[in-house]
Amino acid sequence: MPEAAPSILRFENVTVTFEDVTALDAVSFEAREGESRVILGAAGSGKTILLKTALGLLKPDSGKVYVFGRELTTLREKELFDIRSKIGMLFQESALFDSLTIEENVAYPLVNQRSIHCPEKDVHPRVVEALEFVELGGTLEKFPSELSGGMRRRAAIARAVVTSPRLTLYDSPTAGLDPITAHTIMALLVKARDVAKTTTLVVTYRYQDGNVMANFRYNSEQERIEPARNGARREARTTFMVLREGRLIFEGDQDQLESSKDPYISKFVKQRE
Ligand SMILES: Nc1ncnc2c1ncn2[C@@H]1O[C@H](COP(=O)(O)OP(=O)(O)O)[C@@H](O)[C@H]1O
Ligand SMILES: [Mg+2]
């Protein structure tokens, strides 16, 4: 067995409750460096809460969350900010600031997360680089309302990766997009993952998205994504997780997922395009 890669995100029996709802129910898993995780589950099953808990925006009622090996509740505020600055996040519905230009939106984490220490003169070139990465080089002065849904999603990806995070969390990056635009977005996620070797968690309800994460890789010489050969697929290590009413009811690879007999799980698997 090769030595295990460093632990990036670990949940140990994490429970998060709101008054009468158990949003996460004793969830345990560990994502290691370079791994991809695809999180499936019905609306209200706890997917967004899982990502917010990983970011330290929500505190578990019980259980522990470790990010880069550090348990979040033991951290002082400054240390928590420091950890959070190494995590990229795409919130549901992109969550761009309507009153800021695309340039200002993408610059936001560089300027406002003080632990990033980005010198002022470097902000503009990094924003341009991130926007070119998502093929939105010409939109710096535009406002979110002037872009299409797919372009807004790409701007939100640029904002998530502009800080070169070690861990990136994407909440429903393809929701509401047509299948072709959704594929373009997933191709960008694969590129962001493979260029920077970032540990990546993607929440989605489209099985096809998970299929792209698991079976494609970015070829930096050809500058395009391509089907991963068997070895590369194993190397890329994509793990699927299925949430149901806050419980993690499945964790495994795509073959295991596809052979599951559980009707709740196979409902997601059948959504192939
Ligand atoms: N701020 C909140 N207050 C009360 N209940 C909440 C809050 N946020 C989420 N929930 C509940 O927690 C559960 C999980 O929510 P969520 O993680 O957003 O689901 P999804 O899988 O659709 O992302 C749902 O039952 C939701 O209603
Ligand atoms: Mg959600």
Side-chain angles (χ1 to χ4, degrees):
M1 281 288 280
E3 207 172 301
S7 177
I8 297 292
L9 176 64
R10 180 151 74 97
F11 275 45
E12 202 179 272
N13 267 310
V14 172
T15 295
V16 176
T17 56
F18 297 102
E19 282 165 23
D20 49 353
V21 183
T22 305
L24 290 181
D25 191 353
V27 169
S28 299
F29 70 92
E30 179 169 42
R32 294 184 175 276
E33 190 166 76
E35 192 179 336
S36 300
R37 295 249 161 185
V38 175
I39 303 167
L40 303 164
S45 59
K47 306 181 296 297
T48 296
I49 298 299
L50 187 149
L51 296 188
K52 287 186 173 169
T53 307
L55 260 179
L57 296 175
L58 290 171
K59 286 201 188 1
D61 295 271
S62 59
K64 293 192 166 112
V65 177
Y66 298 80
V67 182
F68 314 132
R70 308 285 307 278
E71 205 251 297
L72 294 185
T73 59
T74 65
L75 300 180
R76 301 216 309 268
E77 191 155 84
K78 185 186 170 306
E79 296 172 305
L80 183 62
F81 283 136
D82 211 40
I83 291 213
R84 213 178 271 158
S85 72
K86 297 183 179 74
I87 307 176
M89 175 80 194
L90 182 145
F91 290 95
Q92 223 165 326
E93 310 292 340
S94 304
L96 296 172
F97 303 111
D98 293 333
S99 60
L100 300 185
T101 63
I102 295 301
E103 175 173 15
E104 291 163 340
N105 263 287
V106 176
Y108 195 86
L110 291 177
V111 175
N112 290 285
Q113 297 192 4
R114 270 186 291 148
S115 37
I116 289 178
H117 305 301
C118 181
E120 212 180 311
K121 67 171 177 37
D122 295 345
V123 171
H124 181 73
R126 286 183 69 174
V127 169
V128 169
E129 187 188 15
L131 280 167
E132 281 172 356
F133 184 85
V134 299
E135 291 161 35
L136 278 186
T139 65
L140 276 86
E141 304 304 319
K142 295 226 183 318
F143 286 91
S145 60
E146 298 176 86
L147 302 186
S148 69
M151 287 164 91
R152 280 202 294 275
R153 216 56 68 82
R154 272 147 61 191
I157 294 173
R159 187 174 61 179
V161 302
V162 71
T163 57
S164 309
R166 287 177 72 191
L167 169 65
T168 316
L169 314 174
Y170 297 99
D171 196 348
S172 316
T174 64
L177 302 178
D178 64 84
I180 292 170
T181 310
H183 184 79
T184 314
I185 293 298
M186 288 312 298
L188 281 173
L189 263 52
V190 167
K191 179 174 154 189
R193 176 193 71 187
D194 294 348
V195 167
K197 311 247 182 295
T198 319
T199 306
T200 302
L201 266 67
V202 186
V203 160
T204 184
Y205 55 86
R206 297 173 73 253
Y207 185 59
Q208 183 59 23
D209 293 350
N211 191 49
V212 174
M213 285 306 282
N215 296 300
F216 285 80
R217 59 163 218 136
Y218 184 70
N219 180 327
S220 46
E221 275 133 50
Q222 310 260 334
E223 298 188 1
R224 60 182 173 84
I225 72 158
E226 62 184 18
R229 286 180 297 274
N230 256 338
R233 180 177 161 185
R234 264 198 303 280
E235 198 186 318
R237 295 201 321 284
T238 298
T239 305
F240 289 78
M241 310 201 322
V242 181
L243 285 170
R244 179 178 193 172
E245 292 168 8
R247 280 179 302 116
L248 181 59
I249 59 160
F250 174 88
E251 187 183 13
D253 66 19
Q254 192 178 17
D255 293 338
Q256 291 165 326
L257 183 75
E258 292 189 350
S259 55
S260 170
K261 299 275 186 293
D262 184 319
Y264 178 88
I265 294 172
S266 46
K267 201 174 65 202
F268 294 104
V269 177
K270 280 185 196 131
Q271 292 174 357
R272 286 225 193 202
E273 276 156 12

